[in-house]
């Protein structure tokens, strides 16, 4: 089931790329405006699924909302750009232009997808509202597509469209949320913890369907989750967030097989399924920072890091990309240098 | 895998997603039953008051008629017409007689307006209550709801502050203060409005412009008073409902799906206004009680004044009848409110617990 990143799908050439550059998002708090996302660079290659993992509060949802320029007050995008092919810089969009981009170009599955439906209207009526909002001419075809998508996710499409939200379980609502994000054929799809209300097996099934639809339609997809194991199955790339930073980013197999950032290493050690042995699984010590406890200078992870050095207290590590892997860590940078020197020495020897 | 999912999907959906008429009928039947009990209780209380009041007005009437030279049979019949039950006989016989005439919509005759049936008096008073109060209720509802939406949307701006403040102020001022203030200004200081009464006497009642114009002219101040008095409650309730709905996830989700502004606005408005409809139906039910203060200030011969008059003139049949009509209004409003809620809220309709 694991995707083969070297085999591009037939649509991959038409899938849009997404380039996040220097993105900073701040929330207004009693202590002033504090960054929930700091100077993030992240590229989603066209036609790939990128997983984003990180503990709760690491800024995943905030980052995802930026792809729609939808950070909610008291938050705002303070700096940076989000370039999406065919749309331009989303941060610069506003008004009707932005509204039309949402849903049509970028499909979004809300983190609380169980609560993403109007309680007073049937799912079918809300689907029609969606179609009308985006000038869909053939509403009948829209309904057909919706039923197909629902059927693929194991539901009786006609019945679901006739239902009100309160007649559906949490898991069913989440799948309806996914359907609504896919049904307009948006080329960029963002799923923020799309499967939290589902049991393990259903989760896997839904993610597999997301993968299928992604491949069929040639999408560029961002899947946010705090379940590293689940995303490992479907993603091509993996980005690891901590304290509002992307601390590591690269091909999913490489990141999980050979994690370079101490936080990624800790995350993986904490998951029995990935670390190999249940006895070996070790929870990451300490607690994740909140907006108020994030250090102003130095590395945000240093309080919990087992490789902390003096420089980590004063200088924030920059994200360095080497052989397709991006890591923001002083120790990892030293490791890379050492590898390079060793390789050179071997060459000379 | 898919098969198990499908089973789950089925089992979680209720068999029919539309209204279950049986449940609706059952609830309405319950309401009707409770309403009938309430009406019966009120009727019984008014019987007890009439019968057991110190001085026994029924007996007194009967005896004074005999003293005036009537035969006991004549006096008995005359008193029965007046109160709806025979002045003699056991308490139980009297009670059954009273209930029996109620079932025939016979509320007895008025004492203070001798000879006139209570139903006639109530009917003519109801006209002067229902129209102005209904107009005031609907007007204040409309105004309050619209301004409430604005107050919620502009809540961080000056307009929002002003609107919310207007709501709180008006909500806190007693209705008679508003009424007296309006009469002082528009009927005394700057007399562009009549100071009281329902219509100028020089017009011939009927569908002629002079009469209707005079009716409308006289209704302005009472309607405005009623509107202002209840507007504050509506605007505050609507504002807080809209603010709550704005914070709901599904509104953000609708925006993230790129739904048109108008559609999102309808989502917000419909969800926010829903709880207010019940209150509206109930307050329309209350209107049969009229507003005693407003009717007194503007000398409007409505049900409120009728009730006050019947109490002060110890016109017990009229008093009981008026109470009964007010009760029936409330009972009917309860049923209507429930039906209304069922019609507009799918969660109630299917008996859902969500
Ligand atoms: N509306 C808000 N007001 C203040 N702080 C917020 C708000 N929303 C999110 N935050 C803060 O921003 C940080 C990132 O939040 P979020 O993006 O939701 O993280 P994640 O999705 O990874 O759990 C958290 O520290 C959170 O407390
Ligand atoms: S920069 Fe320093 S403190 Fe931060 S993760 Fe790397 S080694 Fe640890
Ligand atoms: Mg989140």
């Amino acid at each position: 089931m694991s995707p083969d990143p070297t085999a591009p799908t037939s649509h991959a050439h038409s899938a849009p790329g997404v380039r996040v550059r220097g993105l900073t998002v701040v929330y207004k708090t009693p202590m002033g405006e504090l960054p929930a996302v700091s100077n993030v660079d992240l590229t989603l290659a066209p036609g790939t699924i990128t997983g984003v993992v990180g503990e709760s509060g690491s800024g995943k949802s905030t980052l995802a909302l930026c792809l729609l320029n939808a950070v909610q007050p008291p938050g705002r995008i303070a700096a940076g750009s989000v370039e999406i092919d065919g749309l331009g810089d989303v941060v610069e969009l506003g008004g009707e232009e932005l509204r039309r981009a949402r849903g049509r170009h970028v499909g979004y599955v809300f983190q609380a997808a169980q609560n993403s439906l109007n309680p007073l209207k049937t799912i079918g009526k809300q689907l029609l509202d969606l179609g009308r909002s985006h000038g869909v001419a053939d509403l009948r075809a829209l309904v057909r597509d919706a039923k197909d998508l629902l059927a693929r996710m194991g539901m009786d499409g006609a019945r679901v469209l006739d239902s009100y939200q309160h007649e559906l379980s949490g898991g069913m609502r989440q799948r309806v949320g996914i359907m609504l994000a896919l049904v307009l054929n948006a080329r960029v799809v963002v799923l923020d913890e799309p499967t939290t209300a589902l049991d393990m097996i259903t989760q896997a099934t839904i993610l597999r369907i997301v993968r299928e639809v992604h491949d069929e339609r040639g999408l560029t997809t961002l899947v946010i989750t705090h379940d590293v194991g689940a995303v490992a199955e479907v993603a091509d790339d993996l980005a690891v967030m901590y304290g509002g930073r992307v601390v590591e980013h690269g091909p999913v197999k490489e990141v999980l097989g050979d994690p370079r950032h101490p936080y990624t290493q800790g995350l993986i050690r904490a998951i029995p399924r990935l670390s190999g042995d249940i006895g070996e699984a070790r929870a990451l010590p300490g607690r994740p920072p909140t907006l108020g406890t994030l250090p102003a200078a130095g590395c945000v992870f240093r309080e919990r890091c087992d490789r902390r050095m003096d420089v980590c207290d004063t200088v924030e590590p920059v994200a360095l990309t080497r052989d397709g892997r991006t890591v923001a860590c002083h120790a990892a940078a030293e490791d890379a240098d050492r590898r390079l020197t060793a390789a050179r020495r071997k060459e000379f020897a | 895998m898919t098969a198990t999912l499908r089973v789950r999907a089925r089992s979680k959906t209720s068999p029919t997603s539309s209204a279950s008429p049986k449940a609706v009928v059952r609830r309405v039947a319950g309401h009707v039953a409770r309403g009938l009990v309430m009406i019966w209780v009120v009727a019984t209380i008014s019987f007890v008051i009439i019968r057991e009041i110190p001085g026994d007005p029924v007996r007194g009437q009967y005896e004074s008629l005999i003293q005036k030279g009537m035969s006991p049979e004549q006096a008995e019949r005359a008193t029965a017409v007046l109160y709806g039950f025979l002045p003699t006989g056991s308490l139980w016989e009297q009670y059954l007689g009273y209930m029996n005439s109620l079932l025939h919509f016979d509320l007895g005759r008025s004492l203070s307006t001798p000879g006139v049936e209570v139903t006639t008096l109530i009917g003519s008073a109801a006209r002067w209550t229902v129209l102005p109060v209904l107009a005031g209720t609907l007007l204040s509802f409309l105004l309050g709801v619209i301004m409430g939406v604005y107050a919620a949307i502009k809540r961080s701006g000056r307009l929002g502050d002003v609107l919310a403040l207007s709501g709180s102020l008006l909500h806190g001022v007693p209705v008679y203060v508003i009424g007296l203030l309006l009469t002082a200004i528009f009927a005394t200081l700057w007399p562009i409005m009549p100071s009281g009464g329902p219509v100028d006497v020089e017009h011939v009642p009927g569908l002629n412009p002079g009469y209707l114009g005079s009716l409308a002219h006289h209704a302005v101040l009472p309607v405005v008073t009623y509107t202002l008095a209840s507007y504050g409650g509506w605007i505050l309730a609507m504002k807080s409902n809209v603010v709550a709905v704005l914070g709901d996830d599904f509104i953000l989700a609708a925006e993230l799906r790129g739904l048109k502004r108008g559609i999102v606005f309808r989502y917000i408005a419909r969800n926010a206004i829903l709880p207010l409809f019940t209150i509206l139906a109930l307050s329309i039910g209350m209107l049969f009680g009229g507003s005693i203060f407003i009717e007194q200030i503007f000398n409007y011969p409505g049900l409120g004044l009728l009730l006050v008059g019947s109490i002060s003139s110890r016109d017990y049949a009229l008093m009981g009848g008026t109470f009964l009509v007010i009760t029936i209004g409330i009972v009917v409003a309860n049923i209507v409110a429930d039906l209304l809620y069922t019609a507009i809220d799918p969660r109630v309709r299917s008996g859902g617990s969500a």
Side-chain angles (χ1 to χ4, degrees):
Chain A
M1 184 57 248
S2 213
D4 181 358
T6 58
T9 59
S10 55
H11 296 276
H13 61 277
S14 62
V18 177
R19 292 167 299 280
V20 176
R21 292 291 174 266
L23 187 71
T24 297
V25 180
V26 294
Y27 282 104
K28 196 180 270 174
T29 73
M31 291 167 287
E33 286 194 324
L34 299 174
V37 167
S38 288
N39 197 22
V40 160
D41 290 339
L42 183 68
T43 303
L44 311 184
T48 61
I49 296 185
T50 302
V52 177
V53 296
E55 285 158 304
S56 174
S58 56
K60 305 183 296 294
S61 295
T62 304
L63 174 64
L65 284 169
C66 290
L67 268 65
L68 288 167
N69 191 1
V71 175
Q72 296 299 301
R76 66 180 180 91
I77 296 178
S81 64
V82 179
E83 292 273 351
I84 298 180
D85 290 338
L87 271 181
D89 184 0
V90 180
V91 176
E92 297 298 323
L93 290 185
E96 268 295 282
E97 233 180 342
L98 178 62
R99 179 189 74 72
R100 267 189 242 115
R102 292 173 174 177
R104 180 58 115 176
H105 290 272
V106 188
Y108 197 95
V109 179
F110 202 56
Q111 168 151 14
Q114 312 98 279
N115 308 324
S116 76
L117 300 164
N118 184 346
L120 300 185
K121 282 193 148 191
T122 60
I123 311 302
K125 290 228 175 84
Q126 296 181 61
L127 174 70
L128 294 181
D129 283 344
L130 182 69
R132 290 197 192 99
S133 291
H134 292 284
V136 173
D138 190 352
L139 290 174
R140 225 174 274 250
L142 184 75
V143 170
R144 208 179 318 120
D145 290 351
K147 282 184 189 165
D148 285 350
L149 281 166
L150 291 169
R152 287 176 79 161
M153 290 188 278
M155 290 190 288
D156 178 343
R159 175 167 295 170
V160 168
L161 291 186
D162 255 346
S163 302
Y164 289 94
Q165 159 197 281
H166 70 271
E167 295 165 334
L168 305 175
S169 70
M172 292 169 85
R173 292 181 205 175
Q174 276 198 329
R175 282 174 276 173
V176 168
I178 295 173
M179 177 276 285
L180 290 171
L182 294 176
V183 74
L184 287 179
N185 273 311
R187 311 307 306 277
V188 178
V189 174
V190 180
L191 301 107
D192 190 353
E193 313 222 8
T195 57
T196 39
L198 305 173
D199 61 79
M200 287 292 276
I201 299 169
T202 317
Q203 260 186 46
T205 314
I206 298 301
L207 286 176
R208 184 174 51 75
I209 291 155
V210 167
R211 177 83 224 180
E212 275 173 27
V213 174
H214 167 93
D215 287 341
E216 275 165 30
R217 299 188 177 173
L219 310 177
T220 301
T221 304
L222 188 72
V223 180
I224 291 174
T225 170
H226 52 238
D227 184 352
V228 183
V231 81
E233 309 267 326
V234 293
D236 302 303
D237 289 339
L238 188 65
V240 180
M241 286 194 75
Y242 189 88
R245 276 81 172 163
V246 172
V247 294
E248 180 156 8
H249 179 210
V252 66
K253 282 180 190 160
E254 294 180 37
V255 173
L256 293 180
D258 170 29
R260 292 186 179 167
H261 194 282
Y263 175 60
T264 317
Q265 292 165 356
L267 264 187
I268 291 168
R269 268 201 303 272
I271 305 166
R273 194 144 47 117
L274 293 177
S275 63
D277 184 357
I278 293 179
E280 289 286 295
R282 254 178 296 140
L284 199 68
R287 314 177 108 262
T290 62
L291 289 192
T293 60
L294 271 178
C299 173
V300 288
F301 184 62
R302 63 171 181 265
E303 296 299 334
R304 302 167 76 186
C305 181
D306 52 9
R307 298 189 62 190
R308 179 176 179 173
M309 305 177 290
D310 286 345
V311 64
C312 302
D313 294 351
T314 50
V315 181
E316 176 160 3
V318 291
L320 294 175
T321 307
R322 285 201 179 96
D323 40 86
R325 309 266 318 259
T326 303
V327 185
C329 166
H330 293 303
E334 278 187 7
D335 294 345
D337 287 342
R338 215 173 295 122
R339 274 198 303 274
L340 204 63
T341 323
R344 286 226 185 88
R345 217 171 272 143
K346 220 187 260 170
E347 252 173 59
F348 286 119
Chain B
M1 174 66 244
T2 321
T4 59
L5 272 179
R6 207 160 272 152
V7 170
R8 240 175 69 118
R10 289 249 167 81
S11 64
K12 283 280 185 162
T13 326
S14 61
T16 43
S17 50
S18 53
S20 142
K22 241 192 213 161
V24 173
V25 168
R26 206 168 34 235
R27 264 220 322 284
V28 171
H31 269 298
V32 171
R34 262 188 309 253
L36 287 177
V37 169
M38 201 167 136
I39 292 169
W40 171 72
V41 167
V42 170
T44 305
I45 291 174
S46 52
F47 169 80
V48 170
I49 290 176
I50 295 169
R51 177 65 180 63
E52 297 295 310
I53 205 88
D56 191 348
V58 183
R59 192 86 211 168
Q61 179 76 16
Y62 174 67
E63 276 156 12
S64 81
L65 285 177
I66 289 179
Q67 271 163 25
K68 279 182 191 156
M70 275 192 192
S71 71
E73 291 78 37
Q74 277 175 323
E76 197 174 71
R77 236 175 294 127
T79 314
V81 164
L82 207 52
Y83 288 103
F85 58 83
L86 292 172
T88 51
S90 73
L91 190 65
W92 184 243
E93 277 164 5
Q94 288 185 341
Y95 179 65
L96 286 183
Y98 177 70
M99 283 297 160
N100 185 41
S101 37
L102 275 194
L103 285 179
H104 296 93
F105 299 103
D106 175 8
L107 298 177
R109 303 230 166 161
S110 166
L111 253 187
S112 44
T113 320
V116 183
E117 288 197 22
V118 166
T119 42
T120 314
L121 283 178
I122 289 177
S124 71
R127 270 186 311 171
W128 299 118
T129 289
V130 173
L131 277 180
V133 182
L134 194 64
T137 306
L138 293 181
L139 214 64
S140 65
F141 179 76
L142 245 136
L143 223 83
V145 161
I146 293 170
M147 292 303 154
V149 172
Y150 272 104
I153 290 173
K154 310 269 182 210
R155 65 190 177 285
S156 46
R158 168 145 310 165
L159 177 63
D161 289 344
V162 169
L163 285 173
L165 196 68
S166 77
S168 311
L169 279 179
L170 282 172
H171 193 53
V173 178
V175 55
Y176 58 87
V177 174
I178 298 177
L180 288 174
L181 219 65
L182 285 180
T183 1
I185 296 171
F186 295 105
T188 311
L189 283 179
W190 184 38
I192 54 166
M193 289 293 166
S195 61
V199 66
D200 282 332
V201 281
E202 69 258 31
H203 300 286
V204 190
L207 284 178
N208 59 77
Y211 181 73
L212 293 180
S214 171
L215 270 185
H217 195 204
H218 281 77
V220 170
L221 282 187
V223 169
V224 169
T225 306
Y226 199 85
T227 305
L228 289 181
S230 37
Y231 156 85
W234 293 127
I235 188 176
L236 292 181
M238 189 61 184
K239 183 196 163 181
S240 81
N241 286 0
V242 171
V243 169
V245 174
L246 280 174
D248 276 350
D249 286 335
F250 77 90
I251 294 300
L252 176 59
E255 277 171 8
L256 295 189
R257 292 190 188 115
L259 291 198
K260 280 188 178 153
R261 268 166 178 272
I263 294 178
V264 176
F265 184 79
R266 282 207 294 279
Y267 281 18
I268 296 170
R270 206 171 146 209
N271 275 277
I273 208 169
L274 195 69
L276 294 192
F277 274 119
T278 331
I279 310 176
L280 178 65
L282 292 180
S283 50
I284 287 178
M286 297 291 187
L287 68 78
F288 284 97
S291 173
I292 293 168
F293 290 123
I294 292 181
E295 287 173 5
Q296 268 184 332
I297 290 168
F298 296 103
N299 194 22
Y300 234 67
L303 286 170
L305 269 192
L306 193 68
L307 182 61
V308 174
S310 71
I311 293 171
S312 59
S313 63
R314 301 174 136 239
D315 189 342
Y316 296 106
L318 184 56
M319 198 168 92
T322 315
F323 269 132
L324 211 60
V325 167
I326 293 171
T327 311
I328 291 171
I330 293 170
V331 166
V332 171
N334 262 302
I335 297 172
V336 170
D338 191 64
L339 283 177
L340 202 65
Y341 217 89
T342 313
I344 53 186
D345 192 336
R347 288 163 293 194
V348 177
R349 208 182 303 155
S350 58
S353 53

